[in-house]
Amino acid sequence: MSECPILDENGIVYRTCEADGVLRVLASARRREIVSELEASDENWITVDELARAISATGDETDDDGWAGELHHVHLPMLRDIGLVDYDRHGRTVRYYRCDLVSSVLEAVDSEVPSAR
C-alpha cells in the first residue's frame, strides 16, 4: 500500500497515512467540504463551532447545529482516524495537518465537478 506523509505546521512529517484511507474518507462530499475549509484556513487550529459556521455558510441546507453534530459524531472522528486532524472533543477544537495527497484529490475533484462547492 502507498503511504503519504502528513505534515505539521513546520513542514515536519507528523505521521503517514495510507492512500486508500485518504481516498475512502474523501469519497464523501461532506468530508471534502470540511477538508476544503480546513485547507483554506491560514491557521491550523479551529473550533468546531467556527468550522460548523463556515461550512453552513456555503449554502448547504444543514444549519450550524446540524453541522456541529455531524462534525462531532461522524466526520472529525474519521479524519482523526487517518491522521489528518487532532480532535479535542472536550475543548471542541480541531487541529489540521496538511497532506499533499489530500490537496491533490481535492483539486482533481474540484476541476472535474465545478459545482462541487
Side-chain angles (χ1 to χ4, degrees):
M1 284 195 219
S2 178
E3 288 190 346
C4 305
I6 297 175
L7 308 176
D8 68 11
E9 67 273 6
N10 298 317
I12 298 171
V13 175
Y14 163 70
R15 66 183 286 185
T16 59
C17 64
E18 298 290 330
D20 288 347
V22 169
L23 295 172
R24 196 171 18 262
V25 166
L26 293 180
S28 163
R30 287 224 191 256
R31 279 188 292 282
R32 286 193 308 274
E33 189 171 356
I34 293 163
V35 174
S36 291
E37 194 63 43
L38 294 169
E39 284 268 322
S41 176
D42 292 334
E43 301 293 323
N44 65 335
W45 286 94
I46 190 168
T47 67
V48 172
D49 294 333
E50 290 170 328
L51 183 56
R53 272 192 303 277
I55 294 167
S56 67
T58 62
D60 187 284
E61 68 280 353
T62 307
D63 62 12
D64 294 4
D65 291 335
W67 265 114
E70 278 189 43
L71 288 167
H72 177 73
H73 292 290
V74 180
H75 304 299
L76 293 175
M78 291 182 81
L79 293 169
R80 181 195 57 223
D81 289 348
I82 65 166
L84 288 178
V85 301
D86 278 335
Y87 172 44
D88 178 356
R89 294 176 75 125
H90 300 291
R92 297 185 50 83
T93 57
V94 179
R95 181 177 183 176
Y96 180 64
Y97 295 96
R98 307 235 180 247
C99 174
D100 288 340
L101 177 60
V102 170
S103 300
S104 296
V105 169
L106 292 174
E107 186 177 308
V109 170
D110 282 347
S111 69
E112 291 297 316
V113 186
S115 63
R117 290 198 84 181

